Amino acid sequence: MQAVTQNEILLLLVIASSLLCLVCLGFIFALSKKVQKQNNEHGKLLQHLKRENEQVAILRSEIAEVRASVLSIGKRLVACENYAKDLAQQQAAQKYDDPDAKIYSRAVKMVELGADIEEIMRECELPRAEAELLMSLHNKQ
């Protein structure tokens, strides 16, 4: 066998180390591409997250506006209900305060109970025409 010289060993080491460097550079290049791709995806995700956060802020603002509107409408509705109750009470009070209304209410009750015209005229102090009108109105109903 031939003796391997020191120069040949050095040459083989240089070639082997060069090949190893090329392989390492290839790995580094592949890893840098992968890292760059992941950075791009990360940036896109951050942008998407930012848009979603903005949308959430807008929706929260709209919900607050709707809530305020509903509260305002609720207060106005309660005020309207109270006003309607007051009006109903006033109407009821006026109905019973009017002496003529009492007479006619009593006359209608008498007609419903079957009283005759003479009895209605005497008890309610109504003229004959009004008593007849009440009788005819009640008979039509």
Side-chain angles (χ1 to χ4, degrees):
M1 281 208 229
Q2 293 182 350
V4 181
T5 64
Q6 196 175 13
N7 285 340
E8 290 174 345
I9 293 176
L10 284 175
L11 182 62
L12 284 174
L13 284 175
V14 168
I15 292 172
S17 64
S18 296
L19 285 175
L20 186 62
C21 283
L22 285 175
V23 169
C24 288
L25 284 175
F27 279 131
I28 290 172
F29 181 75
L31 286 175
S32 70
K33 286 292 186 183
K34 189 173 182 177
V35 167
Q36 185 180 10
K37 183 179 176 183
Q38 287 179 344
N39 282 341
N40 287 341
E41 289 177 11
H42 184 271
K44 288 178 184 177
L45 287 174
L46 285 177
Q47 288 175 353
H48 182 70
L49 181 63
K50 182 180 177 183
R51 284 191 305 268
E52 293 297 321
N53 284 336
E54 290 171 355
Q55 187 67 29
V56 166
I58 290 169
L59 291 174
R60 282 184 178 163
S61 171
E62 289 175 358
I63 288 172
E65 289 176 14
V66 169
R67 184 182 299 143
S69 298
V70 167
L71 288 174
S72 174
I73 290 170
K75 288 177 183 177
R76 289 170 51 192
L77 180 62
V78 168
C80 288
E81 287 175 346
N82 289 336
Y83 182 72
K85 286 178 186 175
D86 290 344
L87 285 178
Q89 288 174 349
Q90 288 175 4
Q91 283 179 334
Q94 286 177 353
K95 179 180 176 182
Y96 295 115
D97 287 345
D98 186 10
D100 291 336
K102 287 181 185 178
I103 291 172
Y104 289 112
S105 295
R106 184 173 176 211
V108 168
K109 282 281 190 200
M110 290 177 72
V111 169
E112 289 173 354
L113 293 173
D116 64 354
I117 291 179
E118 298 297 326
E119 186 180 359
I120 294 171
M121 289 172 42
R122 185 178 59 250
E123 292 293 323
C124 299
E125 300 176 0
L126 291 177
R128 179 173 287 282
E130 289 182 13
E132 288 175 352
L133 179 63
L134 282 174
M135 290 285 281
S136 65
L137 285 174
H138 180 70
N139 291 334
K140 286 184 181 179
Q141 292 177 354

